Amino acid sequence: MMKKRLFTPGPISVPEDVLLEMAKPIIHHRTPEFLEIAKQAIEDLKYFFQTKNDVFIIAGSGTAAMEAAVVNVLSPGEKALVISAGKFGERFVELVKTFGAEAIVIEPGWGNPVDLENIKSVLKQNRDIKAVFATLVETSTGTSYDIEGLGKLVSDFPETLLIVDGISGLGAVECKTDLWGIDILVSGSQKALSLPPGLSFISISEKAWEKINNSSTPRYYLDLKKYKKAMEKFDFPFTMAVSLVCGLKKSLEKIKQQGIENLWRMHRKRAMAVRGAAIAMGLEIFSKSPSDAVTAIVLPHTIDGEKFCSDMRKEFGMSVAGGQDKLKGRVIRISHFGYQDDFDTIAVIAGIEVMLKKYKHQVELGSGVKQAMKILFSLQ
Ligand code: PMP
């Protein structure tokens, strides 16, 4: 039987001790036993988010928390500025429009960093913008955005909230919710938290609560006021995904022990190894501001990326992601988060090298692996 290895930017492999935690017999979600687990998970999530703000768990994938951010904050007809440079920036644009608000869309182009001066001038010209929506790491392009810089800029506009999608970035790259002035940060379980998909998380600042209390968009399951009321007793408004929260508590306990800065450092090292290896193999990195959460590598134009990914999975048991939308067939994407170690990073690079050879692409066997080993183990 072939060993399966997941390098997709979510879902990812889950460590054995977390799997075992989730395999324990189900307990009822309103028992003191479960609420104690939830309380600890919420406290540790605040560390993970680097915040003292309220943090809530929603049973639903990351998009549930994105939708919660939109429907709780914006009323129909209100204006929002959305930075959109990939599939997930586009999702915020769609959500804003779906609920009847107006989206002013800033499009730096897929893989490009955003020009903060441009954002500033749009905010100055539109004083009625209620929120700026941004993405910490755009998973479709492997790009990191300057959320710290954006936070400084938005703080000059007291009526405007900063709302960030940290679904694939949080835990993988530095993100300091309170220090950077992020009013709402959303994330999901199937990325740097090394959990299965199914949970999303959302942090809410005091400034954001003022907007939430006054917004008129209809909502029910995602009404954050219900979550806040229940949270007074570390409870949830609806049946919580008990097993996933048990896994979450375990995963966060491990992250706290490791230290969040070390987690960021680990992602950086693996991302640098993959970037270095790709260049050593004569390939290009798609992003002009590459993230440490996921790397998008441009394939030679003679290779069909979709087939390349499916062959990697079939022949080596390695799942890497292909491109989305306009990048379909052109790139492969490799995640650096989840339960993987330095030798897994070397394995995926070796897999890519061998597959490139099979596709008759000129590559010196071992060139990428050698470069990755040097970076991972600080060798000369
Ligand atoms: N935003 C980003 C940056 C993501 O990477 C993803 C998932 N790949 C989403 C949003 C959507 O999350 P989900 O699929 O969990 O709903």
Side-chain angles (χ1 to χ4, degrees):
M1 201 176 76
M2 196 187 284
K3 179 170 181 181
K4 291 199 174 92
R5 301 168 198 254
L6 276 180
F7 298 101
T8 44
I12 35 66
S13 300
V14 177
E16 293 83 357
D17 52 355
V18 177
L19 288 173
L20 287 173
E21 207 59 46
M22 293 186 298
K24 285 185 179 166
I26 306 292
I27 49 177
H28 190 267
H29 63 287
R30 308 257 185 238
T31 53
E33 194 185 351
F34 179 65
L35 297 185
E36 195 48 46
I37 292 170
K39 183 178 173 188
Q40 188 60 52
I42 296 282
E43 265 172 36
D44 291 349
L45 266 177
K46 291 187 184 193
Y47 170 71
F48 190 65
F49 272 64
Q50 298 280 290
T51 189
K52 292 196 165 54
N53 292 335
D54 291 320
V55 179
F56 302 105
I57 304 173
I58 300 172
S61 80
T63 306
M66 291 175 81
E67 182 160 328
V70 172
V71 296
N72 283 275
V73 161
L74 294 176
S75 300
E78 284 186 337
K79 272 190 201 166
L81 185 155
V82 188
I83 300 168
S84 170
K87 181 101 184 131
F88 298 105
E90 284 172 4
R91 185 160 301 177
F92 261 148
V93 175
E94 284 166 13
L95 280 164
V96 167
K97 288 184 180 167
T98 298
F99 293 98
E102 186 188 331
I104 300 176
V105 187
I106 304 290
E107 293 178 296
W110 284 38
N112 293 334
V114 68
D115 175 6
L116 292 183
E117 279 309 310
N118 180 27
I119 306 276
K120 194 173 181 173
S121 74
V122 175
L123 285 174
K124 275 187 175 161
Q125 282 158 25
N126 298 272
R127 294 272 169 187
D128 52 349
I129 287 177
K130 302 294 178 195
V132 172
F133 288 84
T135 313
L136 180 62
V137 170
E138 175 55 71
T139 321
S140 59
T141 64
T143 303
S144 257
Y145 291 90
D146 179 8
I147 302 300
E148 185 179 10
L150 192 61
K152 277 200 194 105
L153 191 157
V154 174
S155 69
D156 288 339
F157 298 84
E159 300 301 315
T160 308
L161 299 180
L162 175 58
I163 300 178
V164 177
D165 168 358
I167 292 172
S168 77
L170 197 64
V173 304
E174 186 178 6
C175 183
K176 298 189 167 168
T177 304
D178 292 355
L179 206 65
W180 295 358
I182 303 171
D183 293 296
I184 297 186
L185 179 64
V186 302
S187 196
S189 52
Q190 77 276 31
K191 313 269 183 178
L193 279 168
S194 289
L195 288 168
L199 293 181
S200 54
F201 315 102
I202 185 163
S203 74
I204 309 288
S205 72
E206 275 304 317
K207 185 172 154 189
W209 276 121
E210 283 170 34
K211 274 295 290 160
I212 292 170
N213 290 331
N214 295 315
S215 97
S216 64
T217 299
R219 65 257 194 196
Y220 191 91
Y221 185 73
L222 297 175
D223 184 351
L224 291 171
K225 286 191 275 188
K226 288 192 176 73
Y227 286 78
K228 187 167 173 70
K229 189 159 188 307
M231 190 47 62
E232 285 164 15
K233 293 188 228 135
F234 292 98
D235 201 352
F236 302 96
F238 312 107
T239 306
M240 191 25 81
V242 171
S243 303
L244 285 173
V245 172
C246 293
L248 172 69
K249 176 178 168 275
K250 182 75 186 167
S251 181
L252 286 165
E253 188 184 297
K254 289 168 40 154
I255 289 173
K256 235 170 80 173
Q257 266 168 16
Q258 181 182 10
I260 193 93
E261 289 84 3
N262 289 328
L263 193 65
W264 297 332
R265 236 173 263 136
M266 186 195 83
H267 285 90
R268 162 140 304 176
K269 191 176 64 164
R270 293 199 190 128
M272 281 172 65
V274 169
R275 294 196 290 259
I279 290 161
M281 285 188 269
L283 303 176
E284 239 180 84
I285 305 302
F286 177 76
S287 177
K288 303 224 170 37
S289 173
S291 82
D292 296 334
V294 49
T295 298
I297 300 173
V298 183
L299 287 174
H301 62 268
T302 48
I303 295 177
D304 170 2
E306 292 303 292
K307 186 166 174 340
F308 191 92
C309 292
S310 118
D311 287 348
M312 288 273 291
R313 192 167 52 249
K314 278 192 242 156
E315 292 194 30
F316 307 148
M318 291 183 186
S319 293
V320 299
Q324 294 170 288
D325 289 354
K326 62 174 101 169
L327 292 184
K328 210 176 184 74
R330 284 184 56 205
V331 299
I332 52 170
R333 293 174 301 137
I334 297 155
S335 69
H336 311 300
F337 44 58
Y339 183 40
Q340 42 175 309
D341 66 11
D342 293 350
F343 290 99
D344 290 316
T345 303
I346 290 171
V348 72
I349 293 164
I352 293 168
E353 275 186 8
V354 177
M355 197 49 79
L356 284 171
K357 267 279 185 222
K358 288 192 173 216
Y359 274 72
K360 308 263 183 275
H361 182 71
Q362 283 267 331
V363 59
E364 192 189 329
L365 271 191
S367 54
V369 167
K370 186 173 166 187
Q371 186 58 24
M373 282 174 148
K374 283 186 185 171
I375 295 169
L376 289 169
F377 303 107
S378 308
L379 303 170
Q380 288 306 307

